[in-house]
């Protein structure tokens, strides 16, 4: 099982980017999915999460600017980032709790990270 993230890049302040993260491999179900980020010299921090039922949670620093969503049929989570600020610059990682079979408990998986750079 792998999480394959895409969509990062370089954008000017005030611009937008959309990140995607798809689950690859044979699985039974995906529970909570989310995005985290890590800036240079900083600890990894939560950006947003979404449950299988669509309940969302956001870091205060991105509320009103970022939107997390998911397509359960495609096992994919998205992060729409608007009104980007230079302080949003970081490597963004997707994360998911995945059950590989109906008999197993969920394990936590991380994607490879995608760089988001916001210039001032």
């Amino acid at each position: 099982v792998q999480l394959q993230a895409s969509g990062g890049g370089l954008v000017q302040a005030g611009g937008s980017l959309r990140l995607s993260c798809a689950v690859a491999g044979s699985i039974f179900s995906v529970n909570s999915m989310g995005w985290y980020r890590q800036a240079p010299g900083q600890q990894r921090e939560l950006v947003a999460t979404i449950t299988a039922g669509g309940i969302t949670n956001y870091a205060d620093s991105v509320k009103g600017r970022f939107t997390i969503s998911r397509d359960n049929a495609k096992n994919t989570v998205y992060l729409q980032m608007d009104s980007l600020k230079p302080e949003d610059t970081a490597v963004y990682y997707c994360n998911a709790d995945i059950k590989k079979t109906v008999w197993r408990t969920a394990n936590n998986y991380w994607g490879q990270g995608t760089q988001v750079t916001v210039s001032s």
Side-chain angles (χ1 to χ4, degrees), residues 31-77:
N31 298 337
S32 181
M33 305 183 81
W35 291 95
Y36 293 71
R37 67 186 181 187
Q38 187 168 19
Q42 304 284 333
Q43 290 189 331
R44 191 173 297 187
E45 64 176 6
L46 179 145
V47 176
T49 61
I50 184 168
T51 68
I55 298 172
T56 58
N57 179 55
Y58 294 93
D60 288 343
S61 59
V62 307
K63 282 181 181 177
R65 300 188 298 120
F66 291 10
T67 303
I68 190 170
S69 61
R70 63 189 284 172
D71 184 332
N72 290 332
K74 296 180 179 180
N75 291 324
T76 299
V77 63

Side-chain angles (χ1 to χ4, degrees), residues 9-118:
L10 172 64
V11 65
Q12 288 188 331
S16 298
L17 282 174
R18 189 189 194 214
L19 306 182
S20 299
C21 179
V23 177
S26 177
I27 65 169
F28 173 72
S29 66
V30 183
N31 298 337
S32 181
M33 305 183 81
W35 291 95
Y36 293 71
R37 67 186 181 187
Q38 187 168 19
Q42 304 284 333
Q43 290 189 331
R44 191 173 297 187
E45 64 176 6
L46 179 145
V47 176
T49 61
I50 184 168
T51 68
I55 298 172
T56 58
N57 179 55
Y58 294 93
D60 288 343
S61 59
V62 307
K63 282 181 181 177
R65 300 188 298 120
F66 291 10
T67 303
I68 190 170
S69 61
R70 63 189 284 172
D71 184 332
N72 290 332
K74 296 180 179 180
N75 291 324
T76 299
V77 63
Y78 306 96
L79 186 68
Q80 177 66 41
M81 304 184 292
D82 299 317
S83 302
L84 282 160
K85 304 176 181 180
E87 50 263 44
D88 294 318
T89 295
V91 177
Y92 284 69
Y93 297 90
C94 59
N95 179 270
D97 289 329
I98 298 171
K99 291 187 67 172
K100 294 181 70 173
T101 69
V102 65
W103 302 280
R104 298 180 66 173
T105 58
N107 288 323
N108 190 256
Y109 293 84
W110 289 94
Q112 80 278 16
T114 184
Q115 177 70 45
V116 172
T117 303
V118 184

